[in-house]
Amino acid sequence: MTSTESETYLSVERVTKRFGAFTALSDVSFTARRGEFLSILGPSGCGKTTILRAVAGLEPQDEGVVRLKGRDVSTMPVSKRHVGIVFQSYALFPNLSARDNVAYGLRKDLKDRRALAERVDKLLALVGLEAAGNKYPSQLSGGQQQRVALARALALSPDLLLLDEPLSALDAQVRVMLRAEIRALTQRLGMTTIMVTHDQEEAMTMADRILIMNQGRLVQNGSPSDIYEAPASPFVASFIGSMNFVSGDMHWDSRTFHRGNLSVKIDRDVSPFGKEAVAAIRPEDIRVSTNGEAGPNVFEVEVDNVEYRGPVYRVTMRLPFGGGQTLPLVADITADQARRTGVSGRTRAKAILPADRVHLFRAEA
Amino acid sequence: MAQANQAAGAALPAADTFDRELWLKRALILLVSAWLVAVVILPLIQLLSKSLFDNHGVFVGLANYVEYFTTPELRRSIGNSVFVSVTTTVISVTLGFLFAYALTRTCIPLKGAFRGLAMMPLFAPTLLNGIALIYLFGRKGLITRGFFGAIPGFDIGLYGSTGIIISEVIFTFPQAMLILSVALRMTDARLYEASQSMGASRLRTFLTVTLPGVKYGLISAIFVCFILAFTDFGAPKVVGGQYNILATDIYKQVIGQQNFTMGAVVSVVLLIPTVLAFVVDRIAQRRQVALIQAKSVPLTPKPDKQVDGFYLAYCSFISLLILAFFATAAYASLVKVWPYKLELGLWHYQFRGTGGGGYGAFFNSVRMACYSAVVGTAVTFFSAYLIEKSRGMRALRQTSYFLSILPLALPGLVIGLAYIFFFNAPGWTFGGITIPNPFNWLYATMGILVLSNIVHFYSVSFLTATTALKQLDKEFETVSESLGVPFHITFFRVTVPVCLPAILEIAMYYFVNSMATVSAVIFLYSADIPLASVAIANMDDAGDIAPACAMSMLVVLANVAVRLLYGLLTRKVNRRTQAWTRR
Ligand SMILES: Nc1ncnc2c1ncn2[C@@H]1O[C@H](COP(=O)(O)OP(=O)(O)OP(=O)(O)O)[C@@H](O)[C@H]1O
Ligand SMILES: [Mg+2]
């Protein structure tokens, strides 16, 4: 037994879940340390809610094991797992005040009314709703309802907090504010949390670790920067941020990637696989130049369009690779860069693809 | 590590993996299914098997059916039943459609009053429809005699199909109107805008937008009207005369000739079209669900002098007819000797010198209606809750759901007759083993009357409850589970208070219908528990029409009182509900 293993707080091992003939989860494994904030990210219908429900005990898995604090809880009903859950709809009881909603699970343990009131006050203060306790859910704003749901889920000091798209029903500004609040709160309480989301920005800013799912499988598990910097597949790369892809051949000896008469130097630590490969680069990693720069990975391009996007400009280009054929390429450059280079649509320019910023993926069948 | 964990897993106390709540819910749903099988399926099987035996209990196969179809008087009733029901359906649905259209798509005033008046017939026993018609069009009727000789009268030849059809139209009109109002209200305004923007004529818009939009509502209304008219027994009994229909045949065979076997055969014949209608209606309803889910823009009617004028006249006319109808009945019940001594008084409300049971019967009916309302509402709502709000157990829940809406296809007479057979049976013998009937004690008690009402009116109540429950967040149960709160606490603290309006509606529905119904209970009441609606039938049989009319008025009054109470309570509940929703 090693020390890293003993820190494992939640472990999901090879969980598979089927609905009839449809496999909603196949062979999903991951772990969480105490106090860690995990975010599950993936396209609609990929099984995010299903894995959350399996961890909660609401949708028992067909195969695999869920362990919480070292105990196998696979067959335990949700009522015994000590998990707090916040649903996308919040599911606040409409006929009970915010206080009574928060107190809902406490009543059976705290018979003393004074102690109950104190505990509820504490919970409401925790989520910053001291003044709104006597209001009914429909009298609260979306953000406030969200907080009541959070306080209710935290009332029994659960071992694990599960959030299913908790912010998706809110408008953009409240969302950004609550992100920070939820994160601060779970940190303060040392609460191990799993949050399902659609929103990559939400996952990137809140989570210690992101799990990317696709079609019932876990496709990557890593810190936000790992996933952004080293996506495991073109799917992940395009799901988190955006990415230019080019398929072609890889010459491993010279570490160059070829497509037509194009050759791109790649300076990244990739262990060799086959010849067919996909090279990729993020738009913000491409530099655009209008002076006569030369050297490796500097390519002549035709600029089609320069689009103003607030903090950045998006440059849409075509990269010729011989025989009159071109590849589409987009770059995001700062306003400052755009001014200095004076790049504009229907002109020629140079695109520089830094060798250490080019990703390489196995070509997918 | 893995081994250590497995050991820890194995050492878990059993209580931690046992989901008491889940098993409890499973057991309860099983119980719901079992109870529905016991009170719906088993009696039906008993009825079916009865039709295959002769009156001495000898198995005769289909011989009874052969006899039925080779007896011209009996066979003729099928054609008669179909004829009056189809005619009724055509008239009712047409009138109901126009009325519903007026209430939903025009800007006429007094919509509330029109709606209220149009619903009046729902509160009356159908026997009253027949009785009031006798006072209007019978041999000594107001119209027949030209308002007691004031103007020349004319005889419409009430007794027979004419009388039955008029009564059934009055009986089914409110149902058609209600169903079609719902359908017309749901249609999407955008379709109309599109049609108008393409310059379509009014007729064309009606044919291409309005009718297809209410297609499923129309199908539903047609089948409901058909089934109600096809299976009603009250009005034909009073004004049918020599014109035999299936429903009166069952009654005559069983009560008149004590020929239970033939009664069972006719019941099965009566069941065939109603079950067919039920199946078609279910299919239509399922299609409609998909239709509602699409987001639609509600239509707000625009004033139009001509159209509004026409519909105002139409609604006033229909409302006046209904009003006149009930007013005649009320008047007739107060007149000393119709049509000779027109002094007003309460003579007929004393029920002296007539059979039927008088006020004893009336209060028995009130008691029965109260029990049906309380027990029926509790059972229906809780069953609907279990079926709608449990996780997993899909097959079991679907079966229970089907069993819950099945009674929709069962006419009251069939339920009544099936219950006689089932609850009166001393026991059953299968291959030499005799099982005594565990429900036999219910026979001839208040219990069986209440039970028959609960089953008779179960499906509509169940659907009302299910609709209300579907509007609650489906995660309420999950949240309370995760908080370790038992489901019954959430049921009483959240589900019931939030669904209170629907619960009140169900209770009112049970009360009103139990009060007015005659078809199921006429086979099941016992001499020491006379009932108001049965008393009406018996007094009518004995020719005591005035007291029968008076008793009907009492039933109407009780129902209107309950309806008003319901309105009051609903308002109170809504005021409280608004406290949760006031911003
Ligand atoms: N009870 C169920 N019965 C049958 N299929 C189900 C059930 N629950 C989920 N599924 C299917 O499993 C798949 C994964 O569902 P899940 O709800 O986990 O998706 P999700 O990733 O949460 O999607 P979204 O982002 O839209 O919420 C979907 O294809 C869904 O149709
Ligand atoms: Mg989901």
Side-chain angles (χ1 to χ4, degrees):
Chain A
M1 188 179 283
T2 66
S3 64
T4 54
E5 265 180 333
S6 68
E7 279 175 36
T8 301
Y9 187 74
L10 166 76
S11 98
V12 171
E13 296 161 20
R14 316 209 58 169
V15 164
T16 294
K17 172 79 193 172
R18 296 183 198 90
F19 293 111
F22 175 77
T23 306
L25 295 176
S26 65
D27 204 9
V28 174
S29 305
F30 64 88
T31 59
R33 290 187 314 275
R34 180 185 285 277
E36 201 173 17
F37 194 114
L38 298 192
S39 185
I40 301 179
L41 188 59
S44 191
C46 68
K48 306 183 294 291
T49 298
T50 309
I51 188 72
L52 207 68
R53 292 176 77 89
V55 171
L58 291 168
E59 207 83 82
Q61 67 275 17
D62 297 316
E63 285 164 33
V65 177
V66 176
R67 279 182 223 282
L68 194 54
K69 298 207 271 191
R71 293 212 308 177
D72 181 350
V73 297
S74 301
T75 53
M76 234 188 228
V78 57
S79 50
K80 309 244 167 69
R81 287 199 192 185
H82 300 289
V83 292
I85 311 177
V86 175
F87 294 97
Q88 187 176 352
S89 62
Y90 313 146
L92 294 178
F93 303 124
N95 60 325
L96 303 182
S97 66
R99 290 192 71 83
D100 287 338
N101 265 286
V102 173
Y104 201 77
L106 289 168
R107 286 168 155 249
K108 62 182 183 316
D109 301 326
L110 284 176
K111 297 285 182 226
D112 177 25
R113 286 180 58 184
R114 180 105 55 75
L116 180 69
E118 264 171 35
R119 176 88 181 118
V120 172
D121 283 335
K122 222 184 233 166
L123 284 159
L124 284 172
L126 196 66
V127 294
L129 277 183
E130 297 91 333
N134 290 322
K135 291 191 174 171
Y136 288 102
S138 62
Q139 298 165 331
L140 299 171
S141 72
Q144 287 173 322
Q145 290 180 26
Q146 197 348 282
R147 287 174 226 225
V148 175
L150 199 58
R152 183 177 64 182
L154 291 171
L156 297 177
S157 311
D159 292 336
L160 191 63
L161 181 62
L162 304 174
L163 312 170
D164 191 356
E165 309 206 19
L167 304 176
S168 65
L170 302 172
D171 55 46
Q173 284 188 0
V174 182
R175 218 192 262 206
V176 171
M177 194 172 75
L178 269 174
R179 265 186 213 164
E181 266 181 45
I182 292 178
R183 187 65 190 110
L185 184 62
T186 57
Q187 239 154 10
R188 184 143 38 102
L189 299 175
M191 182 69 62
T192 316
T193 308
I194 304 181
M195 177 181 78
V196 160
T197 173
H198 252 113
D199 180 342
Q200 49 153 313
E201 201 177 302
E202 205 166 283
M204 300 286 276
T205 51
M206 292 174 77
D208 295 320
R209 209 138 48 77
I210 298 181
L211 314 182
I212 310 263
M213 290 187 63
N214 190 24
Q215 297 181 348
R217 293 176 182 280
L218 188 61
V219 291
Q220 194 169 4
N221 174 351
S223 71
S225 61
D226 279 353
I227 287 185
Y228 193 81
E229 295 297 327
S233 68
F235 168 79
V236 176
S238 59
F239 196 76
I240 300 260
S242 43
M243 187 76 100
N244 295 289
F245 293 102
V246 182
S247 54
D249 297 336
M250 184 64 195
H251 294 190
W252 293 102
D253 315 333
S254 56
R255 292 244 153 201
T256 51
F257 173 87
H258 294 264
R259 172 73 185 262
N261 60 15
L262 207 65
S263 96
V264 184
K265 191 107 189 98
I266 292 178
D267 177 19
R268 250 181 122 88
D269 199 17
V270 198
S271 43
F273 45 87
K275 188 171 160 70
E276 283 173 34
V278 174
I281 186 163
R282 295 212 179 267
E284 67 270 25
D285 288 335
I286 300 179
R287 289 201 293 119
V288 178
S289 155
T290 45
N291 52 32
E293 209 160 322
N297 287 4
V298 177
F299 304 100
E300 191 84 20
V301 292
E302 294 160 23
V303 178
D304 283 335
N305 186 27
V306 179
E307 184 185 273
Y308 177 62
R309 289 202 165 185
V312 298
Y313 283 78
R314 169 147 294 189
V315 185
T316 315
M317 305 168 283
R318 275 177 294 133
L319 177 61
F321 62 93
Q325 287 173 291
T326 59
L327 289 166
L329 204 61
V330 296
D332 288 339
I333 59 175
T334 61
D336 178 53
Q337 241 188 322
R339 259 194 309 281
R340 275 192 285 115
T341 54
V343 62
S344 62
R346 313 220 163 274
T347 56
R348 289 181 161 271
K350 296 267 169 64
I352 302 148
L353 314 183
D356 59 339
R357 306 303 305 167
V358 181
H359 303 265
L360 204 58
F361 300 110
R362 206 182 280 274
E364 276 170 359
Chain B
M1 171 74 198
Q3 268 170 354
N5 274 341
Q6 256 152 27
L12 270 182
D16 266 6
T17 61
F18 178 67
D19 196 342
R20 218 192 90 216
E21 296 272 297
L22 184 70
W23 284 100
L24 190 58
K25 275 191 185 184
R26 270 186 201 168
L28 285 170
I29 293 187
L30 212 57
L31 201 67
V32 167
S33 309
W35 122 272
L36 286 168
V37 167
V39 299
V40 179
I41 303 294
L42 296 183
L44 273 185
I45 293 176
Q46 184 82 12
L47 176 78
L48 278 175
S49 75
K50 201 81 182 178
S51 72
L52 304 177
F53 289 81
D54 71 7
N55 274 329
H56 309 288
V58 178
F59 183 79
V60 292
L62 293 176
N64 292 325
Y65 289 91
V66 172
E67 185 191 338
Y68 177 82
F69 285 103
T70 51
T71 312
E73 306 89 79
L74 288 175
R75 203 178 49 202
R76 199 171 305 131
S77 299
I78 300 179
N80 288 349
S81 273
V82 170
F83 171 72
V84 295
S85 325
V86 168
T87 315
T88 299
T89 304
V90 170
I91 300 173
S92 248
V93 171
T94 311
L95 295 179
F97 184 88
L98 288 173
F99 208 95
Y101 192 90
L103 294 184
T104 54
R105 297 288 179 84
T106 69
C107 295
I108 58 168
L110 298 174
K111 282 183 184 171
F114 286 140
R115 199 183 152 84
L117 277 172
M119 286 178 27
M120 274 296 282
L122 293 178
F123 301 127
T126 55
L127 290 156
L128 177 62
N129 295 3
I131 291 171
L133 282 181
I134 290 179
Y135 281 113
L136 281 166
F137 301 106
R139 275 178 275 281
K140 297 175 200 160
L142 209 51
I143 307 286
T144 320
R145 291 290 188 89
F147 292 87
F148 310 114
I151 53 164
F154 66 94
D155 191 345
I156 63 165
L158 176 71
Y159 298 93
S161 58
T162 315
I164 299 178
I165 290 170
I166 301 177
S167 312
E168 300 304 348
V169 167
I170 295 166
F171 172 43
T172 54
F173 167 78
Q175 309 271 0
M177 189 272 291
L178 287 176
I179 295 171
L180 290 167
S181 296
V182 172
L184 280 164
R185 202 166 288 135
M186 254 165 14
T187 314
D188 196 337
R190 290 170 303 182
L191 295 173
Y192 286 86
E193 284 157 14
S195 176
Q196 271 155 19
S197 72
M198 290 186 296
S201 71
R202 231 177 227 168
L203 180 67
R204 210 178 138 70
T205 307
F206 181 79
L207 291 177
T208 57
V209 180
T210 310
L211 274 188
V214 298
K215 186 168 58 188
Y216 297 117
L218 216 50
I219 294 176
S220 207
I222 288 171
F223 283 119
V224 166
C225 288
F226 179 84
I227 292 186
L228 286 175
F230 195 74
T231 60
D232 180 44
F233 146 80
K237 181 182 174 314
V238 178
V239 290
Q242 299 306 311
Y243 191 82
N244 286 333
I245 60 165
L246 290 172
T248 47
D249 278 354
I250 298 179
Y251 181 71
K252 282 178 196 155
Q253 291 293 337
V254 173
I255 303 289
Q257 305 177 12
Q258 295 287 310
N259 186 346
F260 287 87
T261 300
M262 206 34 87
V265 171
V266 187
S267 295
V268 173
V269 174
L270 188 70
L271 261 180
I272 294 167
T274 55
V275 168
L276 271 179
F278 168 78
V279 171
V280 175
D281 187 47
R282 277 297 104 195
I283 294 171
Q285 293 297 320
R286 194 169 298 171
R287 295 254 172 88
Q288 187 175 21
V289 172
L291 215 78
I292 306 172
Q293 280 163 353
K295 286 248 180 310
S296 69
V297 181
L299 190 78
T300 20
K302 294 188 198 74
D304 179 327
K305 266 223 167 76
Q306 249 183 328
V307 172
D308 292 351
F310 168 78
Y311 281 106
L312 185 60
Y314 171 75
C315 289
S316 311
F317 178 67
I318 297 279
S319 304
L320 270 179
L321 280 187
I322 293 173
L323 206 60
F325 188 80
F326 281 97
T328 307
Y331 179 62
S333 73
L334 293 168
V335 161
K336 193 166 184 184
V337 185
W338 182 282
Y340 308 112
K341 291 186 189 160
L342 297 179
E343 295 145 66
L344 297 183
L346 293 174
W347 299 279
H348 304 306
Y349 285 85
Q350 289 164 1
F351 305 112
R352 266 196 230 117
T354 67
Y359 281 99
F362 175 72
F363 286 111
N364 279 337
S365 274
V366 172
R367 255 186 338 135
M368 176 185 79
C370 285
Y371 296 151
S372 304
V374 172
V375 180
T377 306
V379 170
T380 318
F381 189 78
F382 192 61
S383 309
Y385 168 81
L386 285 172
I387 293 173
E388 180 62 30
K389 296 289 180 187
S390 303
R391 279 184 292 119
M393 304 173 263
R394 283 189 60 167
L396 190 57
R397 282 163 54 206
Q398 272 167 359
T399 313
S400 302
Y401 185 89
F402 177 76
L403 288 173
S404 302
I405 55 172
L406 190 61
L408 211 51
L410 304 183
L413 283 174
V414 173
I415 295 178
L417 197 55
Y419 274 25
I420 298 189
F421 295 147
F422 182 68
F423 289 96
N424 199 20
W428 297 277
T429 307
F430 301 102
I433 304 166
T434 302
I435 306 167
N437 185 348
F439 306 109
N440 190 261
W441 59 273
L442 264 174
Y443 192 73
T445 61
M446 182 59 117
I448 198 170
L449 296 170
V450 171
L451 184 67
S452 74
N453 283 327
I454 293 177
V455 171
H456 193 176
F457 306 115
Y458 192 79
S459 302
V460 172
S461 310
F462 177 83
L463 289 171
T464 307
T466 302
T467 308
L469 286 164
K470 271 193 201 301
Q471 282 159 9
L472 302 193
D473 195 315
K474 65 180 191 313
E475 308 293 5
F476 283 170
E477 279 65 37
T478 327
V479 165
S480 26
E481 254 182 278
S482 74
L483 293 172
V485 177
F487 78 91
H488 67 266
I489 291 187
T490 305
F491 178 77
F492 286 114
R493 266 197 88 195
V494 179
T495 317
V496 168
V498 175
C499 290
L500 210 49
I503 292 175
L504 286 177
E505 192 184 326
I506 294 171
M508 194 232 352
Y509 176 84
Y510 267 122
F511 185 94
V512 166
N513 282 291
S514 304
M515 207 57 208
T517 190
V518 67
S519 55
V521 294
I522 200 155
F523 291 137
L524 298 173
Y525 82 101
S526 65
D528 34 315
I529 315 175
L531 294 173
S533 59
V534 179
I536 299 169
N538 289 342
M539 288 189 281
D540 171 69
D541 265 349
D544 294 330
I545 304 205
C549 190
M551 185 65 90
S552 307
M553 290 319 293
L554 287 180
V555 170
V556 173
L557 284 179
N559 276 346
V560 169
V562 164
R563 172 63 237 245
L564 291 177
L565 181 69
Y566 162 76
L568 223 72
L569 286 176
T570 306
R571 196 168 311 162
K572 223 170 161 179
V573 167
N574 283 345
R575 207 172 306 142
R576 204 197 51 186
T577 312
Q578 269 153 23
W580 317 332
T581 48
R582 201 170 35 229
R583 289 194 170 265

